[in-house]
Amino acid sequence: MFGPPRPFERGVQGRPTLVNNVETLAHLALVARFGADWYRGLGTTDGPGSVLVTFSGDVARPGVYELAAGIPLVEALRAAGAGADPRAVLVGGYFGVWVSGDVIPKVTLDSVSLGRVGASLGCGALAVLGPRACGLQETAAICGWLAGQSAGQCGPCSNGLPAIADAVAALAAGDRGHRWEKQLRRWLDMVEGRGACRHPDGAARFVRSALSVFATEIERHRRHGPCGARPTGLPIPDVHGNWR
């Protein structure tokens, strides 16, 4: 197996190095303070405890929230100040999937419930799309950013992702033909599982969910051209790594 050693194999001064993320440390603090039984009383049987969730997009109070695992998604959205009728929620960050507004009331923040709609909490980032926003525009903006993040090590990433981003941008711009969507689906099949890393796979999963959730918008754009919705500005880093 090629590549650098993993941290638990060899790290600082050649010794095994323990790496924990913020959520793990937050869990440990709760267990140490209140005990394991108290911690297991939170959440669900299959996923006890709490989760750290970052809300962005169309919410009044963006930020990081610590919530009991298994909480209804609508309740979590309410805590962050989301409106009553979101168009969709992007679950799991930019390698995650869009969950449509009509499905949101049926979902809870646990792996079983999210799995039923093809989603997972992943990095814990949730971006809320308001009812007047255009899912195609937001997807196109994110795709453009993802295409620019290629390390340039393989064709599926350095060539495939820019082509995919251009196709999504064409759909958002209201291209009247069917060729872009057909070509886009073909390119998604071509990049999945063929990259030097999982970057193309995550981008493809994200785009596939958009094609499903925003199918009505795609057809509307195809028939009538761009919808004219103003971009909501889901957070995307600029060239300097600063989040807009």
Side-chain angles (χ1 to χ4, degrees), residues 61-129:
R61 296 178 293 277
V64 180
Y65 290 75
E66 187 167 15
L67 306 169
I71 187 175
L73 180 53
V74 289
E75 189 174 332
L77 293 172
R78 194 177 304 120
D85 189 26
R87 174 73 181 86
V89 176
L90 180 58
V91 178
Y94 294 158
F95 281 173
V97 301
W98 289 106
V99 175
S100 64
D102 60 330
V103 174
I104 290 172
K106 307 172 186 177
V107 176
T108 54
L109 287 183
D110 61 87
S111 59
V112 175
S113 179
L114 289 170
R116 293 193 187 105
V117 296
S120 67
L121 197 54
C123 65
L126 280 78
V128 181
L129 195 67

Short mmCIF file of all heavy atoms in Angstrom, two decimals, residues 61-129:
data_model
loop_
_atom_site.label_atom_id
_atom_site.label_comp_id
_atom_site.label_asym_id
_atom_site.label_seq_id
_atom_site.Cartn_x
_atom_site.Cartn_y
_atom_site.Cartn_z
N ARG A 61 -29.86 31.97 12.59
CA ARG A 61 -28.78 31.83 13.57
C ARG A 61 -27.79 30.75 13.10
O ARG A 61 -27.77 29.63 13.64
CB ARG A 61 -29.35 31.46 14.94
CG ARG A 61 -30.25 32.55 15.52
CD ARG A 61 -30.85 32.14 16.84
NE ARG A 61 -31.81 31.04 16.71
CZ ARG A 61 -33.09 31.21 16.36
NH1 ARG A 61 -33.56 32.41 16.10
NH2 ARG A 61 -33.90 30.17 16.27
N PRO A 62 -26.97 31.05 12.08
CA PRO A 62 -25.99 30.06 11.62
C PRO A 62 -24.96 29.78 12.69
O PRO A 62 -24.67 30.63 13.54
CB PRO A 62 -25.37 30.72 10.39
CG PRO A 62 -25.56 32.19 10.63
CD PRO A 62 -26.86 32.33 11.34
N GLY A 63 -24.40 28.58 12.66
CA GLY A 63 -23.37 28.23 13.63
C GLY A 63 -23.37 26.76 13.93
O GLY A 63 -24.03 25.96 13.25
N VAL A 64 -22.62 26.39 14.96
CA VAL A 64 -22.48 24.99 15.37
C VAL A 64 -23.41 24.73 16.55
O VAL A 64 -23.41 25.48 17.53
CB VAL A 64 -21.03 24.67 15.76
CG1 VAL A 64 -20.91 23.20 16.18
CG2 VAL A 64 -20.08 24.96 14.60
N TYR A 65 -24.19 23.65 16.44
CA TYR A 65 -25.15 23.28 17.48
C TYR A 65 -24.85 21.86 17.96
O TYR A 65 -24.54 20.98 17.16
CB TYR A 65 -26.58 23.34 16.94
CG TYR A 65 -27.08 24.73 16.67
CD1 TYR A 65 -26.64 25.44 15.55
CD2 TYR A 65 -27.96 25.36 17.54
CE1 TYR A 65 -27.09 26.72 15.29
CE2 TYR A 65 -28.43 26.65 17.29
CZ TYR A 65 -27.98 27.32 16.17
OH TYR A 65 -28.41 28.60 15.92
N GLU A 66 -24.94 21.67 19.27
CA GLU A 66 -24.83 20.33 19.82
C GLU A 66 -26.24 19.84 20.11
O GLU A 66 -26.96 20.43 20.94
CB GLU A 66 -23.99 20.31 21.10
CG GLU A 66 -23.72 18.90 21.60
CD GLU A 66 -22.65 18.85 22.67
OE1 GLU A 66 -22.30 19.91 23.23
OE2 GLU A 66 -22.15 17.74 22.94
N LEU A 67 -26.66 18.78 19.43
CA LEU A 67 -28.03 18.29 19.49
C LEU A 67 -28.03 16.81 19.84
O LEU A 67 -27.07 16.09 19.55
CB LEU A 67 -28.74 18.50 18.16
CG LEU A 67 -28.73 19.92 17.58
CD1 LEU A 67 -29.23 19.91 16.15
CD2 LEU A 67 -29.58 20.85 18.45
N ALA A 68 -29.11 16.36 20.45
CA ALA A 68 -29.26 14.93 20.72
C ALA A 68 -29.41 14.18 19.40
O ALA A 68 -30.17 14.60 18.53
CB ALA A 68 -30.46 14.67 21.62
N ALA A 69 -28.68 13.10 19.23
CA ALA A 69 -28.83 12.28 18.04
C ALA A 69 -30.27 11.80 17.93
O ALA A 69 -30.91 11.49 18.94
CB ALA A 69 -27.87 11.09 18.09
N GLY A 70 -30.79 11.76 16.71
CA GLY A 70 -32.16 11.30 16.50
C GLY A 70 -33.20 12.39 16.59
O GLY A 70 -34.40 12.12 16.43
N ILE A 71 -32.79 13.64 16.83
CA ILE A 71 -33.75 14.74 16.89
C ILE A 71 -34.39 14.91 15.51
O ILE A 71 -33.74 14.74 14.49
CB ILE A 71 -33.03 16.04 17.33
CG1 ILE A 71 -34.03 17.17 17.56
CG2 ILE A 71 -32.00 16.46 16.30
CD1 ILE A 71 -33.38 18.43 18.11
N PRO A 72 -35.69 15.23 15.44
CA PRO A 72 -36.29 15.48 14.12
C PRO A 72 -35.58 16.61 13.39
O PRO A 72 -35.21 17.63 14.01
CB PRO A 72 -37.74 15.86 14.47
CG PRO A 72 -38.00 15.19 15.79
CD PRO A 72 -36.69 15.26 16.53
N LEU A 73 -35.39 16.45 12.11
CA LEU A 73 -34.69 17.46 11.33
C LEU A 73 -35.42 18.80 11.39
O LEU A 73 -34.78 19.85 11.47
CB LEU A 73 -34.55 17.00 9.88
CG LEU A 73 -33.83 17.95 8.91
CD1 LEU A 73 -32.47 18.36 9.45
CD2 LEU A 73 -33.70 17.31 7.53
N VAL A 74 -36.75 18.78 11.40
CA VAL A 74 -37.49 20.04 11.47
C VAL A 74 -37.22 20.77 12.78
O VAL A 74 -37.16 22.00 12.83
CB VAL A 74 -39.01 19.81 11.29
CG1 VAL A 74 -39.34 19.42 9.87
CG2 VAL A 74 -39.54 18.77 12.27
N GLU A 75 -37.04 20.01 13.86
CA GLU A 75 -36.74 20.62 15.15
C GLU A 75 -35.33 21.22 15.16
O GLU A 75 -35.10 22.30 15.72
CB GLU A 75 -36.87 19.58 16.25
CG GLU A 75 -36.80 20.13 17.66
CD GLU A 75 -37.09 19.08 18.71
OE1 GLU A 75 -37.83 18.13 18.41
OE2 GLU A 75 -36.57 19.22 19.84
N ALA A 76 -34.39 20.53 14.53
CA ALA A 76 -33.04 21.06 14.42
C ALA A 76 -33.02 22.34 13.58
O ALA A 76 -32.34 23.31 13.93
CB ALA A 76 -32.12 20.01 13.80
N LEU A 77 -33.78 22.35 12.49
CA LEU A 77 -33.87 23.54 11.65
C LEU A 77 -34.47 24.71 12.41
O LEU A 77 -34.03 25.86 12.28
CB LEU A 77 -34.70 23.24 10.41
CG LEU A 77 -34.11 22.24 9.41
CD1 LEU A 77 -35.13 21.90 8.33
CD2 LEU A 77 -32.84 22.80 8.79
N ARG A 78 -35.46 24.41 13.23
CA ARG A 78 -36.10 25.45 14.02
C ARG A 78 -35.12 26.07 15.02
O ARG A 78 -35.14 27.28 15.25
CB ARG A 78 -37.31 24.86 14.76
CG ARG A 78 -38.26 25.91 15.36
CD ARG A 78 -39.46 25.25 16.01
NE ARG A 78 -40.17 24.38 15.08
CZ ARG A 78 -40.34 23.08 15.27
NH1 ARG A 78 -39.86 22.49 16.34
NH2 ARG A 78 -41.02 22.36 14.38
N ALA A 79 -34.26 25.24 15.59
CA ALA A 79 -33.28 25.74 16.55
C ALA A 79 -32.33 26.74 15.91
O ALA A 79 -31.89 27.70 16.54
CB ALA A 79 -32.49 24.57 17.14
N ALA A 80 -32.02 26.53 14.62
CA ALA A 80 -31.11 27.43 13.91
C ALA A 80 -31.84 28.61 13.27
O ALA A 80 -31.19 29.45 12.64
CB ALA A 80 -30.35 26.65 12.84
N GLY A 81 -33.15 28.66 13.42
CA GLY A 81 -33.90 29.78 12.88
C GLY A 81 -34.24 29.67 11.42
O GLY A 81 -34.36 30.69 10.72
N ALA A 82 -34.40 28.44 10.92
CA ALA A 82 -34.81 28.27 9.52
C ALA A 82 -36.28 28.60 9.36
O ALA A 82 -37.07 28.50 10.32
CB ALA A 82 -34.55 26.83 9.07
N GLY A 83 -36.67 28.97 8.16
CA GLY A 83 -38.07 29.27 7.89
C GLY A 83 -38.92 28.02 7.91
O GLY A 83 -38.42 26.89 8.00
N ALA A 84 -40.22 28.22 7.83
CA ALA A 84 -41.15 27.10 7.97
C ALA A 84 -41.22 26.22 6.72
O ALA A 84 -41.69 25.09 6.78
CB ALA A 84 -42.55 27.62 8.30
N ASP A 85 -40.75 26.74 5.58
CA ASP A 85 -40.93 26.00 4.33
C ASP A 85 -39.65 26.01 3.49
O ASP A 85 -39.62 26.58 2.39
CB ASP A 85 -42.09 26.62 3.55
CG ASP A 85 -42.49 25.78 2.35
OD1 ASP A 85 -42.26 24.57 2.37
OD2 ASP A 85 -43.04 26.36 1.38
N PRO A 86 -38.58 25.35 3.96
CA PRO A 86 -37.35 25.35 3.17
C PRO A 86 -37.53 24.57 1.87
O PRO A 86 -38.27 23.60 1.81
CB PRO A 86 -36.33 24.67 4.09
CG PRO A 86 -37.16 23.84 5.02
CD PRO A 86 -38.44 24.60 5.21
N ARG A 87 -36.85 25.02 0.82
CA ARG A 87 -36.90 24.33 -0.46
C ARG A 87 -36.20 22.98 -0.37
O ARG A 87 -36.67 21.98 -0.90
CB ARG A 87 -36.23 25.21 -1.52
CG ARG A 87 -36.07 24.58 -2.89
CD ARG A 87 -37.41 24.49 -3.60
NE ARG A 87 -37.24 23.86 -4.90
CZ ARG A 87 -37.26 22.55 -5.12
NH1 ARG A 87 -37.42 21.72 -4.11
NH2 ARG A 87 -37.14 22.06 -6.33
N ALA A 88 -35.07 22.95 0.30
CA ALA A 88 -34.29 21.73 0.46
C ALA A 88 -33.21 21.97 1.50
O ALA A 88 -32.94 23.12 1.88
CB ALA A 88 -33.66 21.30 -0.87
N VAL A 89 -32.60 20.90 1.95
CA VAL A 89 -31.46 20.99 2.86
C VAL A 89 -30.34 20.11 2.31
O VAL A 89 -30.58 18.95 1.97
CB VAL A 89 -31.83 20.54 4.29
CG1 VAL A 89 -30.59 20.54 5.18
CG2 VAL A 89 -32.90 21.45 4.88
N LEU A 90 -29.15 20.67 2.23
CA LEU A 90 -27.98 19.88 1.84
C LEU A 90 -27.40 19.25 3.09
O LEU A 90 -26.93 19.95 3.99
CB LEU A 90 -26.95 20.76 1.15
CG LEU A 90 -25.68 20.08 0.67
CD1 LEU A 90 -26.00 18.95 -0.30
CD2 LEU A 90 -24.73 21.08 0.02
N VAL A 91 -27.45 17.94 3.18
CA VAL A 91 -27.03 17.21 4.37
C VAL A 91 -25.68 16.55 4.13
O VAL A 91 -25.51 15.81 3.17
CB VAL A 91 -28.07 16.12 4.74
CG1 VAL A 91 -27.62 15.34 5.97
CG2 VAL A 91 -29.43 16.75 4.99
N GLY A 92 -24.72 16.83 5.02
CA GLY A 92 -23.42 16.19 4.91
C GLY A 92 -22.38 16.99 4.16
O GLY A 92 -21.35 16.44 3.75
N GLY A 93 -22.61 18.28 3.99
CA GLY A 93 -21.63 19.10 3.29
C GLY A 93 -21.68 18.92 1.79
O GLY A 93 -22.62 18.34 1.23
N TYR A 94 -20.64 19.41 1.11
CA TYR A 94 -20.66 19.44 -0.36
C TYR A 94 -20.35 18.09 -0.99
O TYR A 94 -20.37 17.96 -2.21
CB TYR A 94 -19.72 20.52 -0.88
CG TYR A 94 -20.17 21.91 -0.51
CD1 TYR A 94 -19.29 22.97 -0.46
CD2 TYR A 94 -21.51 22.15 -0.19
CE1 TYR A 94 -19.71 24.24 -0.12
CE2 TYR A 94 -21.95 23.41 0.15
CZ TYR A 94 -21.05 24.47 0.19
OH TYR A 94 -21.48 25.71 0.54
N PHE A 95 -20.06 17.09 -0.19
CA PHE A 95 -20.02 15.71 -0.67
C PHE A 95 -21.27 14.97 -0.22
O PHE A 95 -21.36 13.75 -0.35
CB PHE A 95 -18.78 14.98 -0.14
CG PHE A 95 -17.51 15.31 -0.88
CD1 PHE A 95 -16.30 14.83 -0.43
CD2 PHE A 95 -17.53 16.08 -2.03
CE1 PHE A 95 -15.12 15.12 -1.12
CE2 PHE A 95 -16.37 16.39 -2.72
CZ PHE A 95 -15.16 15.90 -2.26
N GLY A 96 -22.24 15.71 0.33
CA GLY A 96 -23.48 15.11 0.79
C GLY A 96 -24.54 15.11 -0.29
O GLY A 96 -24.23 15.14 -1.49
N VAL A 97 -25.81 15.12 0.13
CA VAL A 97 -26.91 15.08 -0.82
C VAL A 97 -27.98 16.09 -0.42
O VAL A 97 -28.12 16.44 0.75
CB VAL A 97 -27.55 13.67 -0.92
CG1 VAL A 97 -26.52 12.64 -1.35
CG2 VAL A 97 -28.19 13.26 0.40
N TRP A 98 -28.72 16.54 -1.42
CA TRP A 98 -29.87 17.39 -1.17
C TRP A 98 -31.05 16.54 -0.67
O TRP A 98 -31.31 15.48 -1.23
CB TRP A 98 -30.29 18.11 -2.44
CG TRP A 98 -29.37 19.19 -2.93
CD1 TRP A 98 -28.53 19.11 -4.00
CD2 TRP A 98 -29.21 20.50 -2.39
NE1 TRP A 98 -27.85 20.29 -4.16
CE2 TRP A 98 -28.25 21.17 -3.19
CE3 TRP A 98 -29.79 21.17 -1.31
CZ2 TRP A 98 -27.85 22.47 -2.94
CZ3 TRP A 98 -29.38 22.48 -1.06
CH2 TRP A 98 -28.43 23.12 -1.86
N VAL A 99 -31.73 17.03 0.33
CA VAL A 99 -32.97 16.41 0.82
C VAL A 99 -34.08 17.42 0.57
O VAL A 99 -34.02 18.56 1.03
CB VAL A 99 -32.88 16.07 2.32
CG1 VAL A 99 -34.22 15.55 2.83
CG2 VAL A 99 -31.79 15.02 2.56
N SER A 100 -35.10 17.02 -0.18
CA SER A 100 -36.15 17.94 -0.59
C SER A 100 -37.05 18.34 0.57
O SER A 100 -37.16 17.63 1.57
CB SER A 100 -36.98 17.34 -1.72
OG SER A 100 -37.66 16.18 -1.26
N GLY A 101 -37.70 19.50 0.42
CA GLY A 101 -38.52 20.03 1.48
C GLY A 101 -39.66 19.12 1.90
O GLY A 101 -40.01 19.06 3.09
N ASP A 102 -40.24 18.37 0.97
CA ASP A 102 -41.35 17.50 1.32
C ASP A 102 -40.90 16.28 2.11
O ASP A 102 -41.72 15.62 2.78
CB ASP A 102 -42.11 17.07 0.07
CG ASP A 102 -41.24 16.30 -0.91
OD1 ASP A 102 -40.02 16.57 -0.96
OD2 ASP A 102 -41.76 15.44 -1.63
N VAL A 103 -39.61 15.97 2.07
CA VAL A 103 -39.08 14.81 2.80
C VAL A 103 -38.59 15.21 4.19
O VAL A 103 -38.55 14.38 5.10
CB VAL A 103 -37.92 14.17 1.99
CG1 VAL A 103 -37.25 13.05 2.77
CG2 VAL A 103 -38.46 13.63 0.67
N ILE A 104 -38.23 16.48 4.37
CA ILE A 104 -37.65 16.94 5.64
C ILE A 104 -38.47 16.54 6.86
O ILE A 104 -37.90 16.08 7.86
CB ILE A 104 -37.45 18.47 5.59
CG1 ILE A 104 -36.31 18.81 4.61
CG2 ILE A 104 -37.15 19.04 6.97
CD1 ILE A 104 -36.14 20.29 4.35
N PRO A 105 -39.82 16.67 6.86
CA PRO A 105 -40.58 16.30 8.06
C PRO A 105 -40.50 14.82 8.43
O PRO A 105 -40.86 14.45 9.56
CB PRO A 105 -42.02 16.68 7.69
CG PRO A 105 -41.89 17.71 6.63
CD PRO A 105 -40.69 17.29 5.85
N LYS A 106 -40.02 13.98 7.52
CA LYS A 106 -39.97 12.55 7.77
C LYS A 106 -38.60 12.09 8.29
O LYS A 106 -38.41 10.91 8.57
CB LYS A 106 -40.29 11.78 6.49
CG LYS A 106 -41.59 12.20 5.82
CD LYS A 106 -41.74 11.53 4.47
CE LYS A 106 -42.97 12.05 3.72
NZ LYS A 106 -43.08 11.46 2.37
N VAL A 107 -37.64 13.01 8.40
CA VAL A 107 -36.25 12.65 8.67
C VAL A 107 -35.84 13.05 10.07
O VAL A 107 -36.22 14.12 10.58
CB VAL A 107 -35.31 13.34 7.64
CG1 VAL A 107 -33.85 13.05 7.95
CG2 VAL A 107 -35.64 12.87 6.23
N THR A 108 -35.07 12.18 10.72
CA THR A 108 -34.44 12.51 12.00
C THR A 108 -32.93 12.44 11.82
O THR A 108 -32.43 11.80 10.89
CB THR A 108 -34.87 11.54 13.12
OG1 THR A 108 -34.61 10.18 12.69
CG2 THR A 108 -36.37 11.68 13.40
N LEU A 109 -32.19 13.09 12.73
CA LEU A 109 -30.74 13.16 12.59
C LEU A 109 -30.07 11.92 13.18
O LEU A 109 -29.43 11.96 14.22
CB LEU A 109 -30.21 14.43 13.27
CG LEU A 109 -30.49 15.75 12.56
CD1 LEU A 109 -29.84 16.91 13.30
CD2 LEU A 109 -29.99 15.71 11.12
N ASP A 110 -30.25 10.82 12.50
CA ASP A 110 -29.55 9.59 12.85
C ASP A 110 -29.30 8.82 11.57
O ASP A 110 -29.94 9.05 10.54
CB ASP A 110 -30.36 8.76 13.85
CG ASP A 110 -31.71 8.34 13.29
OD1 ASP A 110 -31.76 7.29 12.63
OD2 ASP A 110 -32.71 9.04 13.52
N SER A 111 -28.35 7.89 11.63
CA SER A 111 -27.90 7.21 10.43
C SER A 111 -28.98 6.39 9.76
O SER A 111 -29.05 6.30 8.53
CB SER A 111 -26.70 6.31 10.76
OG SER A 111 -27.06 5.35 11.75
N VAL A 112 -29.87 5.78 10.55
CA VAL A 112 -30.93 4.94 9.98
C VAL A 112 -31.91 5.78 9.18
O VAL A 112 -32.22 5.49 8.02
CB VAL A 112 -31.65 4.15 11.08
CG1 VAL A 112 -32.83 3.38 10.48
CG2 VAL A 112 -30.70 3.18 11.77
N SER A 113 -32.42 6.84 9.78
CA SER A 113 -33.40 7.69 9.11
C SER A 113 -32.80 8.39 7.90
O SER A 113 -33.40 8.42 6.82
CB SER A 113 -33.94 8.73 10.10
OG SER A 113 -34.87 9.59 9.46
N LEU A 114 -31.59 8.94 8.04
CA LEU A 114 -30.95 9.60 6.92
C LEU A 114 -30.64 8.62 5.80
O LEU A 114 -30.76 8.94 4.62
CB LEU A 114 -29.67 10.29 7.39
CG LEU A 114 -29.85 11.53 8.26
CD1 LEU A 114 -28.51 11.96 8.86
CD2 LEU A 114 -30.46 12.67 7.46
N GLY A 115 -30.26 7.40 6.18
CA GLY A 115 -29.96 6.39 5.17
C GLY A 115 -31.15 6.05 4.30
O GLY A 115 -30.99 5.71 3.12
N ARG A 116 -32.36 6.13 4.87
CA ARG A 116 -33.56 5.82 4.09
C ARG A 116 -33.77 6.79 2.93
O ARG A 116 -34.44 6.47 1.95
CB ARG A 116 -34.79 5.83 5.00
CG ARG A 116 -34.82 4.72 6.04
CD ARG A 116 -36.19 4.61 6.67
NE ARG A 116 -36.20 3.68 7.78
CZ ARG A 116 -36.24 4.02 9.06
NH1 ARG A 116 -36.31 5.31 9.38
NH2 ARG A 116 -36.23 3.13 10.02
N VAL A 117 -33.23 8.01 3.05
CA VAL A 117 -33.38 9.00 1.98
C VAL A 117 -32.06 9.19 1.23
O VAL A 117 -31.86 10.17 0.53
CB VAL A 117 -33.89 10.35 2.53
CG1 VAL A 117 -35.28 10.19 3.10
CG2 VAL A 117 -32.94 10.92 3.57
N GLY A 118 -31.15 8.22 1.41
CA GLY A 118 -29.89 8.25 0.68
C GLY A 118 -28.87 9.23 1.19
O GLY A 118 -27.93 9.59 0.48
N ALA A 119 -29.04 9.68 2.44
CA ALA A 119 -28.15 10.68 3.00
C ALA A 119 -27.40 10.13 4.21
O ALA A 119 -27.72 9.07 4.74
CB ALA A 119 -28.94 11.93 3.41
N SER A 120 -26.39 10.86 4.63
CA SER A 120 -25.69 10.59 5.89
C SER A 120 -25.23 11.92 6.45
O SER A 120 -25.01 12.88 5.70
CB SER A 120 -24.51 9.65 5.68
OG SER A 120 -23.51 10.27 4.91
N LEU A 121 -25.07 11.97 7.76
CA LEU A 121 -24.70 13.24 8.39
C LEU A 121 -23.29 13.67 7.99
O LEU A 121 -22.98 14.86 7.90
CB LEU A 121 -24.83 13.13 9.91
CG LEU A 121 -24.87 14.44 10.69
CD1 LEU A 121 -25.95 15.36 10.16
CD2 LEU A 121 -25.08 14.16 12.17
N GLY A 122 -22.42 12.69 7.73
CA GLY A 122 -21.08 13.01 7.24
C GLY A 122 -20.34 13.95 8.17
O GLY A 122 -20.20 13.70 9.36
N CYS A 123 -19.90 15.08 7.61
CA CYS A 123 -19.14 16.06 8.39
C CYS A 123 -20.03 16.87 9.32
O CYS A 123 -19.53 17.72 10.08
CB CYS A 123 -18.36 16.98 7.46
SG CYS A 123 -19.41 18.01 6.41
N GLY A 124 -21.34 16.66 9.26
CA GLY A 124 -22.25 17.38 10.15
C GLY A 124 -22.66 18.75 9.65
O GLY A 124 -23.26 19.53 10.40
N ALA A 125 -22.36 19.07 8.40
CA ALA A 125 -22.73 20.38 7.84
C ALA A 125 -24.07 20.30 7.12
O ALA A 125 -24.28 19.42 6.29
CB ALA A 125 -21.66 20.85 6.87
N LEU A 126 -24.98 21.21 7.48
CA LEU A 126 -26.29 21.28 6.84
C LEU A 126 -26.50 22.69 6.29
O LEU A 126 -26.38 23.67 7.04
CB LEU A 126 -27.41 20.94 7.82
CG LEU A 126 -27.67 19.46 8.11
CD1 LEU A 126 -26.61 18.93 9.08
CD2 LEU A 126 -29.05 19.26 8.71
N ALA A 127 -26.75 22.80 4.99
CA ALA A 127 -26.99 24.07 4.34
C ALA A 127 -28.45 24.14 3.92
O ALA A 127 -28.94 23.26 3.20
CB ALA A 127 -26.08 24.24 3.13
N VAL A 128 -29.16 25.17 4.38
CA VAL A 128 -30.60 25.29 4.16
C VAL A 128 -30.87 26.18 2.95
O VAL A 128 -30.36 27.30 2.86
CB VAL A 128 -31.29 25.87 5.42
CG1 VAL A 128 -32.79 25.98 5.20
CG2 VAL A 128 -30.97 25.01 6.64
N LEU A 129 -31.68 25.67 2.05
CA LEU A 129 -32.08 26.41 0.86
C LEU A 129 -33.49 26.95 1.07
O LEU A 129 -34.41 26.18 1.31
CB LEU A 129 -32.04 25.48 -0.36
CG LEU A 129 -32.09 26.12 -1.74
CD1 LEU A 129 -30.82 26.92 -2.00
CD2 LEU A 129 -32.25 25.05 -2.81
#
